[in-house]
Amino acid sequence: MLPPSTTVPQAIQLARWLKNPAQVLEESQARFGDIFTLRMSYVPNFVVVSDPELVKEVFSAGPDELHAGKANVVLKPFLGEYSLLMLDGAEHLRQRKLLLPPFHGERLATYGETMINSALATIAKWPTARSFTMHEEFQEITLDIIIRTVFGVNDETRADEMARSMREMLNLAANPFLLIPKFQIDLGPLSPWGRFTRKLKKADALLYSELQRRREKPDPSKQDILSLLLRARDDDGSAMSDKELRDELVTLLVAGHETTATALAWTFRWLLANRSLYRELGDEVRASTENGKLIADRIGRLPLLDAVIRESLRLQPVVPMVGRIVQKPVKLAGYDLPVGTAIGPSIYLIQRRLGLYQDPSRFHPRRFIDHKWSPHEWFPFGGGIRRCIGMAFALYEMKMIIAAVLARTSLVIDETAPPTMIRRSITLAPKGGVRVRQQERPMQGGS
Ligand code: HEM
């Protein structure tokens, strides 16, 4: 028998989940406790867990006991069969081994200046006389950063063309209904899936032509992630095929762009509502500059900045839950879970758990200065052998972008209502995108 669940019809449960997953999680936990089942049309029964000890058990399961790739299968038409998010078992470990080295913490310093410059270029275009939406601006910046640091495209015309094509494709992909296999049918160029697949084809063509260009003219001095992947070799000496590289590039784009932009928007949502903290963080950033120049290495080590980002990802995780599919019958909290059941460690519920976090709905970054949280108490990037490979990259990138904003401008928030969430594909974003105004003209100084 599975853990308790509501008797609400499955189609209604699915519709509610697509509209507001956080509310579904909160209501179910209030009614059933730390383990319950979501029964929704088109997806396996989802056993949600919100007790850190149970999450620890799930994250320490072996690669043959629980599979994550099968839980991500709805993303396959977007990402392709070789995507790291799609693979399981030995295939996943092999591909992960090839992808991990470029994301290693030590490598990040190579990308710091590019990240800062991308942010500064966008900030310089921010309007002074009217309000604007931070979420969109962060999407611009994080897309530009991926194109430069992951795809390694620095030629301005090609970078612009790529950004335009990827943006069009990603905007259509944000529609959560496209995650339902039933809606993944091409009924012509005006149907949602038809429009999306045509944009995806265009984006793919650009990626394949970039791959061809880079294979024809290899440049051993290039340090971007694609260059490193082109040079990567398997244990048996084989290189990644064009299809594998395409799938991983789209995966890194989809997994790394919207998530980071959304996390940044949430961070400013909390920060701008807390003026004294906003000023204190600005002081920390400005004190680390050298003649007004932002130094990536110093920004990467600022304690309050780090705590602010971790607290924002705690209070408002971008992804509310991760998924694993049972491959061999398992026992969890006394329940026998059959093969095919999904288990969902809920990031959202655990990171707001009373008794674990004091005053959990308060934005209080110092809890990350005073205490180190375990990987099953704070896990906005998931966990175990599937933990986000872009975690260090994303945290570093967020630091560079936030520091650039704080050093160059002063913002006020244009919203007074308490923040609410909307779903964009698999992420939870701030409704309205965080509208702000610049308070004064940006300060002078280069990067
Ligand atoms: C704040 C930003 C980000 C958040 C909140 C985030 C969150 C996540 C989460 C929750 C997972 C699933 C982990 C699991 O199942 O246990 C994941 C996986 C992944 N993420 Fe991220 N991510 C972020 C940024 C990035 C970036 C910048 C990249 C790369 C450029 C990236 C690449 C990936 C990849 C490739 C996976 C699949 C890992 C695997 O299956 O082995 N992510 N991410």
Side-chain angles (χ1 to χ4, degrees):
M1 201 180 64
L2 293 180
S5 64
T6 97
T7 50
V8 171
Q10 297 201 1
I12 295 179
Q13 288 204 51
L14 176 72
R16 291 192 67 220
W17 175 253
L18 287 177
K19 189 157 189 287
N20 194 340
Q23 192 183 3
V24 171
L25 290 171
E26 275 172 358
E27 285 174 6
S28 308
Q29 189 197 37
R31 186 162 164 207
F32 302 116
D34 282 333
I35 183 160
F36 53 86
T37 308
L38 297 178
R39 295 173 190 269
M40 301 181 282
S41 315
Y42 308 117
V43 280
N45 288 327
F46 235 105
V47 173
V48 179
V49 290
S50 60
D51 173 336
E53 283 311 308
L54 295 178
V55 171
K56 192 174 176 185
E57 264 182 64
V58 176
F59 283 162
S60 43
D64 299 323
E65 291 173 276
L66 299 177
H67 280 178
K70 289 191 179 66
N72 296 330
V73 75
V74 287
L75 296 170
K76 199 168 183 168
F78 300 62
L79 306 181
E81 63 199 296
Y82 295 110
S83 161
L84 188 65
L85 277 162
M86 243 20 75
L87 301 171
D88 282 309
E91 261 305 295
H92 170 258
L93 288 180
R94 172 192 165 264
Q95 197 80 340
R96 196 169 157 106
K97 218 167 138 189
L98 285 167
L99 280 174
L100 266 176
F103 286 96
H104 209 270
E106 290 148 24
R107 292 214 56 84
L108 295 174
T110 332
Y111 308 127
E113 212 176 310
T114 307
M115 291 169 171
I116 292 172
N117 288 336
S118 264
L120 290 177
T122 301
I123 295 166
K125 290 186 258 166
W126 283 356
T128 45
R130 59 172 175 86
S131 64
F132 58 98
T133 321
M134 292 212 94
H135 191 190
E136 280 173 20
E137 299 299 318
F138 289 139
Q139 284 168 335
E140 258 337 276
I141 300 173
T142 56
L143 180 58
D144 188 62
I145 289 176
I146 289 207
I147 287 173
R148 290 172 198 276
T149 61
V150 177
F151 298 178
V153 176
N154 282 311
D155 171 86
E156 295 304 323
T157 316
R158 260 184 313 120
D160 280 352
E161 185 186 11
M162 213 162 230
R164 208 173 320 114
S165 171
M166 300 298 155
R167 200 181 303 119
E168 285 173 358
M169 183 269 286
L170 291 165
N171 279 341
L172 294 175
N175 178 355
F177 283 94
L178 293 188
L179 294 176
I180 303 172
K182 220 179 166 175
F183 288 86
Q184 297 178 346
I185 359 165
D186 186 350
L187 297 173
L190 293 180
S191 64
W193 187 251
R195 279 172 69 200
F196 166 70
T197 46
R198 280 161 184 79
K199 295 289 180 200
L200 183 64
K201 256 195 201 135
K202 238 175 102 181
D204 276 355
L206 279 176
L207 285 177
Y208 280 119
S209 82
E210 182 64 25
L211 287 176
Q212 195 186 345
R213 229 178 48 79
R214 302 279 278 278
R215 286 205 193 275
E216 280 167 6
K217 266 197 190 163
D219 177 352
S221 70
K222 272 179 85 83
Q223 292 301 316
D224 58 87
I225 288 173
L226 171 57
S227 296
L228 300 176
L229 294 179
L230 280 162
R231 280 176 236 148
R233 293 294 175 268
D234 224 338
D235 287 343
D236 67 7
S238 55
M240 291 171 82
S241 68
D242 275 7
K243 175 73 174 102
E244 281 177 300
L245 284 165
R246 176 269 170 212
D247 288 359
E248 298 312 353
L249 290 179
V250 177
T251 300
L252 297 174
L253 171 73
V254 169
H257 157 256
E258 178 76 19
T259 44
T260 313
T262 306
L264 282 161
W266 279 117
T267 307
F268 275 90
R269 182 64 187 76
W270 310 123
L271 209 47
L272 291 170
N274 189 333
R275 293 312 290 182
S276 64
L277 183 65
Y278 179 66
R279 271 193 297 275
E280 197 185 337
L281 188 61
D283 290 344
E284 185 187 70
V285 167
R286 283 185 291 273
S288 78
T289 58
E290 214 173 80
N291 302 325
K293 188 174 156 68
L294 291 156
I295 315 286
D297 181 46
R298 288 189 194 165
I299 298 167
R301 286 184 279 119
L302 296 176
L304 185 58
L305 180 56
D306 184 68
V308 161
I309 291 170
R310 285 174 194 270
E311 174 68 343
S312 170
L313 286 163
R314 177 197 70 80
L315 185 56
Q316 191 56 63
V318 171
V319 180
M321 181 164 88
V322 291
R324 304 288 186 266
I325 307 275
V326 174
Q327 300 303 301
K328 293 177 182 164
V330 289
K331 213 178 184 69
L332 194 66
Y335 294 98
D336 289 311
L337 308 186
V339 171
T341 314
I343 306 179
S346 173
I347 304 171
Y348 182 85
L349 290 177
I350 289 194
Q351 293 185 169
R352 286 176 172 234
R353 195 180 150 97
L354 255 176
L356 179 60
Y357 290 97
Q358 209 183 358
D359 203 356
S361 50
R362 182 171 154 229
F363 184 69
H364 179 54
R366 285 209 162 66
R367 65 176 103 234
F368 283 88
I369 292 179
D370 304 338
H371 183 80
K372 195 168 168 8
W373 301 91
S374 79
H376 38 277
E377 294 168 334
W378 183 83
F379 57 103
F381 296 92
I385 50 164
R386 303 303 295 231
R387 197 183 75 179
C388 173
I389 61 162
M391 173 171 160
F393 184 97
L395 292 172
Y396 194 74
E397 180 182 6
M398 286 179 75
K399 288 178 185 175
M400 300 305 133
I401 297 172
I402 295 171
V405 174
L406 290 172
R408 288 293 174 273
T409 181
S410 177
L411 300 169
V412 278
I413 193 154
D414 242 19
E415 297 165 7
T416 45
T420 45
M421 303 165 221
I422 53 155
R423 182 198 258 274
R424 283 178 54 90
S425 188
I426 55 161
T427 62
L428 295 181
K431 196 170 177 191
V434 187
R435 280 205 84 77
V436 296
R437 274 175 296 115
Q438 293 204 78
Q439 220 174 14
E440 58 199 47
R441 222 12 249 162
M443 299 185 320
Q444 297 310 305
S447 69

